[in-house]
Amino acid sequence: MLEFLKPAPDAEIKVPKEKVPRYFKIWQTRILISTVIIYIGYYIVRLIFTVQQNDISEAYGFSMGQIGTILSMFGVGYGISKLIMGTLADRSNPNRYVATGLIISAIINALYGATKNFGVILVLMLLNSIMQGMGAAACQRLVCLWFGRKGKGSIMARGTAFAIWSSAHNAGAFMCVAVISLSGLLFGSSLQWTFWTASIVSILIAVTVLVLGGDRPTSKGLPTIEEYSGDKVVVKGGEIVEGEVTNDSVLKIFFEYILKNKLVWAVILASISIYVVRYGIMSWIPNYLVNVKGFDNENAKWLTGIFELAAVPGVIIIGFITDLLKGRRAIMVIISLLTMLACLITYFAATDQNLIIIVLLIMGTFIYAPATIVGLMVNEAVPKFANGMSTGTMGFCQYLIGEVTATLVIGWVVEAYGWDAGNIIVYAFAGIAIIASIYILIHQNRMYRKIDEV
């Protein structure tokens, strides 16, 4: 790995014991702010193509199937990238790692504005997705390194911090629409300048985060979160497994803590299913609302952003509730998924545009809350030195199976059989997510009873 991206060494000078709480809280605040704004930047460049799909289709002459193919290319590349880049994140300086990924992603995004060739755009989407894989794993690792499950001596517990960070992608989707509007004000209706404006904004964000963020607590002269708050990580063979880094090989970590871990795979199954619902709705909002529900194209674009932004308060509140439940997060996942199912039924059946808007505003919370919580649960099912790998493994499955199903499969199914057939796919995966979450609840309760007894 490049020297710039290697983990910072432990600080030689330790923070005096009496000053540790204050410095820990200062750095927790900095880490939380930096992970939020960097992920907003990732989503600005990630969603430009999705939000502009109707304009791109008209200007470039792409069919719905071609648009779906391009969108699915991101899922393929991102899924593979999250597995590889997530593993590298465990062995890097996560702050520098995440900022580097955004800078390169923004440069690739700018190239969208230089071509109308379908094949070239496919390749660019693939390359962009690979760089995007450097984002989530590094951010999640930072949250787990700096925040404990119970929040003792911290500005907040891990579930709330994770929900705030995860809400950044909702805010990022709204900011993506806002950047498109900014580009329109500054440069007119040029599609090219929407890509270029997004890239400039994201690079500025990355540079800010390089200054604001940091590596592990020990690199700042502070104790680990386990030492500071008494946080316990995970039970393996009846024992607590701790540590931020390890000398074990990548393969050993994968087999011991991922492949053999039933809870990890149950969480991954739930997450795949939630991602089919998430992208089956979000990716097609502009197209579905315009062609099926009769919405104006510009209003449909803004509803994509509003759908995401409206979810932020609810996701944070639900994340906070999971902390009150002492980390037994599957309870809120099940409640959210049942509410989501009711919203899906209404969204697909409704004809009144006001009702559709209201349902979209509500549904965002109950799609993104479980999507957020399962992302944290997969980290909590493994030691901290495997956080990036668990995130990457889940991301590989989420995007290679979940998003590809929601974009490529639904795109071609709808073109062949109509929107009702696409809706059936979404319903089926919502049901799978509920069943998997019930299993997780049972398993998770057993695990935490054992941890809390130690």
Side-chain angles (χ1 to χ4, degrees):
M1 186 178 294
L2 297 175
E3 192 67 31
F4 176 74
L5 298 179
K6 288 183 177 179
D10 289 351
E12 294 183 5
I13 301 175
K14 307 299 181 185
V15 174
K17 190 174 181 180
E18 67 275 9
K19 294 184 179 181
V20 165
R22 184 169 73 90
Y23 276 87
F24 221 107
K25 291 175 183 176
I26 289 171
W27 272 105
Q28 284 178 328
T29 302
R30 291 180 62 164
I31 293 298
L32 188 59
I33 292 172
S34 65
T35 53
V36 166
I37 63 174
I38 194 77
Y39 216 52
I40 286 174
Y42 269 86
Y43 263 75
I44 288 173
V45 295
R46 179 183 301 187
L47 292 180
I48 285 288
F49 195 95
T50 298
V51 175
Q52 292 286 74
Q53 62 184 258
N54 287 336
D55 293 328
I56 292 171
S57 180
E58 181 179 345
Y60 295 4
F62 294 163
S63 69
M64 184 173 175
Q66 287 178 305
I67 293 290
T69 301
I70 293 171
L71 294 176
S72 71
M73 186 59 64
F74 181 91
V76 172
Y78 191 54
I80 296 171
S81 174
K82 284 197 81 170
L83 180 59
I84 298 170
M85 298 300 192
T87 300
L88 291 176
D90 286 330
R91 296 165 184 259
S92 73
N93 178 323
N95 184 61
R96 291 181 176 182
Y97 189 82
V98 74
T100 300
L102 179 56
I103 291 170
I104 299 174
S105 179
I107 293 170
I108 294 171
N109 178 75
L111 298 177
Y112 289 142
T115 182
K116 296 182 179 181
N117 183 277
F118 176 71
V120 173
I121 290 175
L122 276 179
V123 173
L124 289 175
M125 184 66 78
L126 178 63
L127 294 175
N128 194 11
S129 68
I130 292 171
M131 291 301 104
Q132 286 274 322
M134 297 177 72
C139 288
Q140 289 180 221
R141 175 164 165 76
L142 282 166
V143 171
C144 289
L145 286 171
W146 285 93
F147 295 88
R149 179 165 64 96
K150 297 181 179 179
K152 181 181 177 182
S154 301
I155 60 173
M156 63 188 68
R158 186 189 297 144
T160 306
F162 195 91
I164 292 172
W165 164 73
S166 184
S167 296
H169 64 63
N170 302 96
F174 181 82
M175 286 300 297
C176 176
V177 179
V179 166
I180 291 172
S181 295
L182 174 64
S183 177
L185 288 173
L186 295 176
F187 308 110
S189 58
S190 169
L191 274 175
Q192 287 77 12
W193 268 105
T194 61
F195 295 121
W196 297 339
T197 303
S199 294
I200 292 169
V201 170
S202 294
I203 289 173
L204 291 175
I205 288 173
V207 173
T208 301
V209 167
L210 280 172
V211 176
L212 180 64
D215 198 349
R216 298 165 292 115
T218 52
S219 71
K220 304 301 177 184
L222 295 165
T224 66
I225 190 66
E226 291 89 356
E227 295 167 340
Y228 176 63
S229 69
D231 187 49
K232 295 167 185 172
V233 184
V234 69
V235 173
K236 177 180 179 286
E239 306 231 351
I240 299 297
V241 180
E242 298 181 344
E244 299 173 340
V245 294
T246 181
N247 292 322
D248 289 345
S249 69
V250 170
L251 285 178
K252 182 178 179 181
I253 295 170
F254 181 75
F255 279 105
E256 289 294 322
Y257 299 102
I258 306 293
L259 193 61
K260 296 180 180 180
N261 194 327
K262 292 180 181 178
L263 180 58
V264 165
W265 289 104
V267 174
I268 287 175
L269 176 60
S271 72
I272 291 170
S273 304
I274 293 168
Y275 264 60
V276 173
V277 178
R278 171 185 168 184
Y279 282 97
I281 299 298
M282 186 272 288
S283 294
W284 298 109
I285 284 176
N287 200 301
Y288 183 74
L289 292 184
V290 170
N291 295 312
V292 178
K293 303 298 185 180
F295 278 72
D296 175 76
N297 184 39
E298 290 303 312
N299 289 337
K301 282 185 193 178
W302 274 106
L303 282 171
T304 303
I306 292 170
F307 167 76
E308 300 270 349
L309 188 64
V312 172
V315 170
I316 294 173
I317 290 169
I318 291 172
F320 175 71
I321 292 172
T322 69
D323 286 334
L324 297 180
L325 295 170
K326 298 182 179 180
R328 288 158 176 80
R329 310 188 196 281
I331 296 171
M332 293 308 299
V333 171
I334 294 170
I335 293 172
S336 297
L337 290 174
L338 291 172
T339 309
M340 178 195 76
L341 183 59
C343 289
L344 284 173
I345 294 169
T346 307
Y347 177 66
F348 290 141
T351 56
D352 181 80
Q353 291 192 355
N354 291 325
L355 177 59
I356 292 169
I357 292 171
I358 292 170
V359 170
L360 271 175
L361 296 180
I362 297 171
M363 183 163 54
T365 293
F366 295 104
I367 289 176
Y368 283 105
T372 295
I373 296 168
V374 297
L376 176 54
M377 288 196 299
V378 82
N379 289 157
E380 292 183 331
V382 299
K384 286 186 174 58
F385 56 74
N387 283 159
M389 184 178 288
S390 68
T391 298
T393 303
M394 187 168 79
F396 174 82
C397 298
Q398 284 171 337
Y399 285 89
L400 204 63
I401 301 173
E403 190 183 356
V404 169
T405 299
T407 52
L408 179 65
V409 175
I410 288 180
W412 287 106
V413 165
V414 168
E415 189 166 292
Y417 304 106
W419 278 105
D420 286 343
N423 296 348
I424 290 172
I425 296 174
V426 174
Y427 281 134
F429 280 94
I432 294 171
I434 292 169
I435 294 169
S437 298
I438 293 171
Y439 170 84
I440 293 167
L441 176 61
I442 297 169
H443 193 109
Q444 192 179 62
N445 282 340
R446 291 174 185 164
M447 183 181 78
Y448 281 137
R449 274 199 301 270
K450 188 175 289 187
I451 286 177
D452 292 337
E453 286 171 0
V454 176

